[in-house]
Amino acid sequence: MSLMALLDVDLTELGTQAAHAALLDNSADRLNALTAVFEECGKRANAYYCPDLATRDLVRWVALDFQIARRGLLGSQYI
């Protein structure tokens, strides 16, 4: 698998995990789930040429997916 295809798979899977973490009811559960996703980012980053940069980028995208899901959930409560 090419690195671009691997990146696409990683971003999709990790983003989905982060979005699911955002939907948990308890803040402690959200923190634990998001921490696990961040740890997975570090593990998956080892497949790339520069793991440090890959980790930083994967975490950045995962955090964005979490925030988007969380904002969507919070916004729906006021409609």
Side-chain angles (χ1 to χ4, degrees), residues 43-54:
K43 291 177 187 173
R44 291 188 185 204
N46 289 323
Y48 298 96
Y49 178 72
C50 183
D52 292 340
L53 181 61

Side-chain angles (χ1 to χ4, degrees), residues 9 11 32 34 36-37 54 59 62 64 68 74 79:
V9 169
L11 289 174
N32 289 336
L34 192 58
V37 177
V59 167
V62 163
L64 263 172
I68 290 168
L74 294 175
I79 294 176

Side-chain angles (χ1 to χ4, degrees), residues 13-14 17-18 21 24 28-44 59 62 66:
E13 291 177 355
L14 294 169
Q17 291 175 25
L24 296 173
D29 292 340
R30 285 192 301 273
L31 177 62
N32 289 336
L34 192 58
T35 299
V37 177
F38 288 155
E39 289 173 354
E40 184 65 22
C41 287
K43 291 177 187 173
R44 291 188 185 204
V59 167
V62 163
F66 179 86

Side-chain angles (χ1 to χ4, degrees), residues 3-26:
L3 287 180
M4 290 304 293
L6 181 61
L7 178 63
D8 183 51
V9 169
D10 286 345
L11 289 174
T12 300
E13 291 177 355
L14 294 169
T16 300
Q17 291 175 25
H20 287 301
L23 301 177
L24 296 173
D25 293 329
N26 185 327

